[in-house]
Amino acid sequence: MKYRSTRSTETVTAAEALLRGLAADGGLYLPEKLPAPFVSYEKMRDFSYQETAVCVLSRFFTEIPEETLADFARKAYGSSFETREIVPVRTINESFSMAEMFHGRTCAFKDLALSLFPYLLTWAKKEAGEDRQVLILTATSGDTGKAALEGFRDVEGTNICVFYPSHGVSPLQKDQMQKQEGDNVRVCGIEGNFDDAQSAVKAIFAAPLAPEEGGDAVVFSSANSINIGRLFPQVVYYVWIWLSLVRSGSIGQKEAFNVVVPTGNFGNILAAWIARKIGTPIGQLVCASNENHVLSDFFATGTYDRRREFHLTKSPSMDILISSNFERFLYYMAGSKETAEAMRLLAEEGAYTMPADVMARIGEEMTGGWADEAAMAAAASDVYEKYDYLMDPHTSVAYAVYSDLRRKGKITRGTHTVIVSTAHPYKFPDASAEAVHAEVSGSAYDRLRALADVTGIPVPPQLARLEDAPVRFPGTIARDAIADYVKAYAGEIRKGRGQR
Ligand SMILES: *Cc1c(COP(=O)(O)O)cnc(C)c1O
């Protein structure tokens, strides 16, 4: 299957799309044509998560042989997940279930895509005849960096370098990064914020290395959520959630279910929308935002306007004003010419408006909503009290939006809804303590132990293990030293080439 850009008719192979990430015209890659609906309960009723992955991914990566995909799925979705179901679906009552996407290595949903992506990328490298080592450069505000490090660690032919804002991540997130294991990883704090790290990394992509700087041995790539290698693995779990709901009797075989997704960069919810396109019976699809509700305003008004105050919230992975993957959805709703124009306006003027006919189409596909910090906190403690279930702040935003829509009669009565649960609550010890009305103090690990005493939820070994692990990457550098840091690492890889 060929891939095309959202902004023009440029087409490339899947391997090229995986390696490049971004199209030459600045657009994002999409399949030239989405596969016709093909998922079927009769056919898939006994499928494991891994078999579901092969069934779905083989339609998007038609060039990768099925047995190769099966090998990738087996390696990606194995013992690094805490549960055999990979994404367990907990049905709370007849109205709603929680799809737990936090049982991977870093306790966040990004593990689902980033466990598989390195295999897709190394396949693409081979397919494209690229024999240089890949060096993944990633700027992170927290979750992506760690999930990418875990995904790429010790994957042959790849190396990864992550930059995080030294003062902008939580103590647990800092430990997750500074104590990273693996022979092919580098992690470095920077004096500056996430945008500084991101701009420095983008500048390096724009200026390739000279051969003597390592350019003859190293090719840069990114693990960013706009890569198709991250998007399609996310489609898999929506099909899986459907199979799980039918198997458990939470919905009937012919019944649809709603999905509420806590949204930042729009990758996760776009995957749900694609899952519906390939036949998963998703009824209402709800895009939940926090106080940075640029998307829910767009759904309400037809104007996407990023010229607004930026709020730092307790759901930091949703603190985003430019949702990159939204461009893909816009392409399907409005076409490539309108999308290219909207993206130009967004870059140059900070806003764009879609006409009424496009908005009518969008309204048929998706609903938006948002919750402020108080509603988020209230949702977390309500659900804990009523159902003895602890949600992280991102999931709590989604639940708050869901219960608000339900109260207003905007969720069809008698239908079942899945709340997408994107992070383990213990990644956010303070918000969790507030939700269960517990006093906790001491180090992050002391807080987690205190929480475990109160809630009975054990501390995930992935987090507990960090406490005594040695710090490997304590360093912090100035933001203008990032380029030299990368060059030095590329030089090392060049020297070590052939040894690994
Ligand atoms: C990344 C992230 C999100 C947002 O997902 P998008 O695909 O960017 O919309 C939500 N919750 C958590 C915990 C995340 O890490």
Side-chain angles (χ1 to χ4, degrees):
M1 162 145 41
K2 285 276 193 188
Y3 279 78
R4 61 160 294 158
S5 165
T6 47
R7 298 191 195 177
S8 70
T9 51
E10 178 193 336
T11 58
V12 295
T13 62
E16 286 169 311
L18 282 163
L19 283 171
R20 289 187 200 171
L22 201 66
D25 58 23
L28 309 185
Y29 290 119
L30 279 172
E32 242 183 341
K33 201 165 168 290
L34 281 177
F38 65 88
V39 299
S40 124
Y41 186 75
E42 284 75 17
K43 200 177 74 194
M44 303 176 77
R45 58 187 308 154
D46 298 322
F47 277 17
S48 63
Y49 191 91
Q50 295 77 359
E51 288 167 325
T52 309
V54 175
C55 174
V56 171
L57 292 171
S58 61
R59 301 298 183 106
F60 292 98
F61 297 109
T62 51
E63 294 94 332
I64 308 181
E66 271 197 36
E67 52 290 4
T68 307
L69 277 174
D71 179 48
F72 293 171
R74 205 168 33 242
K75 288 179 184 149
Y77 304 120
S79 58
S80 71
F81 283 81
E82 280 289 293
T83 81
R84 200 175 41 81
E85 298 132 284
I86 310 299
V87 176
V89 180
R90 310 249 181 257
T91 294
I92 308 290
N93 62 23
E94 75 276 10
S95 300
F96 75 101
S97 298
M98 298 282 184
E100 296 184 351
M101 301 184 178
F102 52 72
H103 294 285
R105 282 181 285 214
T106 77
C107 299
F109 94 91
K110 292 183 176 68
D111 290 325
L112 273 311
L114 281 163
S115 297
L116 189 81
F117 178 61
Y119 298 104
L120 296 173
L121 196 69
T122 41
W123 169 83
K125 185 171 166 270
K126 209 159 141 201
E127 182 80 4
E130 177 59 73
D131 58 8
R132 290 176 289 181
Q133 289 267 326
V134 172
L135 174 49
I136 305 284
L137 299 180
T138 298
T140 186
S141 58
D143 284 343
T144 301
K146 178 64 181 178
L149 285 161
E150 282 295 330
F152 280 96
R153 97 180 213 210
D154 297 327
V155 173
E156 209 176 307
T158 73
N159 309 268
I160 175 164
C161 197
V162 167
F163 298 99
Y164 65 92
S166 183
H167 303 293
V169 297
S170 77
L172 267 176
Q173 285 177 319
K174 191 174 259 187
D175 264 13
Q176 279 190 315
M177 284 190 274
Q178 293 190 337
K179 297 177 172 178
Q180 177 64 41
E181 294 168 40
D183 287 335
N184 61 339
V185 305
R186 290 290 184 279
V187 180
C188 190
I190 66 147
E191 294 294 348
N193 61 26
F194 168 68
D195 285 326
D196 296 327
Q198 174 99 316
S199 321
V201 165
K202 278 193 178 151
I204 298 170
F205 279 120
L209 294 177
E212 65 279 12
E213 288 173 329
D216 56 351
V218 172
V219 56
F220 292 131
S221 191
S222 122
N224 197 291
S225 82
I226 54 174
N227 197 300
I228 58 164
R230 283 193 54 187
L231 181 58
F232 296 112
Q234 295 179 166
V235 177
V236 172
Y237 50 69
Y238 287 103
V239 179
W240 173 254
I241 289 167
W242 170 50
L243 298 176
S244 306
L245 288 171
V246 179
R247 282 174 192 160
S248 69
S250 302
I251 63 171
Q253 207 171 315
K254 296 271 176 282
E255 211 177 314
F257 63 104
N258 312 311
V259 175
V260 186
V261 188
T263 295
N265 225 1
F266 206 78
N268 202 354
I269 192 165
L270 182 72
W273 184 81
I274 294 173
R276 184 206 265 155
K277 283 282 171 203
I278 60 170
T280 314
I282 296 176
Q284 285 172 272
L285 190 49
V286 179
C287 173
S289 305
N290 65 17
E291 289 177 356
N292 298 293
H293 45 90
V294 64
L295 283 168
S296 80
D297 288 356
F298 172 77
F299 289 121
T301 65
T303 296
Y304 190 110
D305 191 345
R306 69 172 167 92
R307 299 164 300 182
R308 60 178 68 207
E309 200 188 329
F310 178 76
H311 299 274
L312 284 172
T313 72
K314 289 181 180 149
S315 45
S317 298
M318 301 163 71
D319 291 345
I320 285 181
L321 293 181
I322 302 180
S323 297
S324 309
N325 279 293
F326 193 64
E327 173 170 353
R328 289 189 159 114
F329 183 59
L330 210 53
Y331 162 80
Y332 285 115
M333 297 295 113
S336 74
K337 242 177 79 192
E338 289 73 8
T339 302
E341 176 61 9
M343 292 304 115
R344 186 189 68 78
L345 285 168
L346 186 63
E348 289 172 13
E349 286 162 33
Y352 63 83
T353 299
M354 282 290 140
D357 60 321
V358 172
M359 291 315 294
R361 236 172 291 156
I362 288 176
E364 307 248 303
E365 303 288 337
M366 233 177 250
T367 315
W370 68 281
D372 63 17
E373 293 290 88
M376 182 282 288
S381 49
D382 279 1
V383 167
Y384 185 69
E385 224 158 84
K386 272 198 208 134
Y387 307 109
D388 198 21
Y389 188 91
L390 184 57
M391 303 183 293
D392 98 289
H394 302 79
T395 311
S396 302
V397 166
Y399 182 85
V401 168
Y402 159 71
S403 67
D404 182 51
L405 289 174
R406 210 172 121 85
R407 209 166 29 241
K408 291 175 179 155
K410 290 185 183 166
I411 299 281
T412 312
R413 286 272 150 209
T415 57
H416 193 80
T417 300
V418 168
I419 312 288
V420 168
S421 186
T422 49
H424 194 290
Y426 284 9
K427 271 197 119 167
F428 305 92
D430 293 335
S432 293
E434 208 181 302
V436 305
H437 304 294
E439 294 279 339
V440 296
S441 59
S443 75
Y445 304 96
D446 293 334
R447 284 160 205 248
L448 291 184
R449 278 187 287 267
L451 272 170
D453 283 342
V454 175
T455 64
I457 303 169
V459 181
Q462 306 93 302
L463 297 180
R465 194 181 300 133
L466 283 172
E467 187 172 18
D468 297 321
V471 169
R472 293 186 65 207
F473 302 104
T476 295
I477 59 174
R479 62 185 171 197
D480 57 9
I482 293 180
D484 285 338
Y485 185 95
V486 171
K487 275 182 202 164
Y489 187 30
E492 268 180 59
I493 296 168
R494 182 178 189 234
K495 263 194 251 146
R497 195 185 185 198
Q499 289 170 15
R500 265 220 312 277

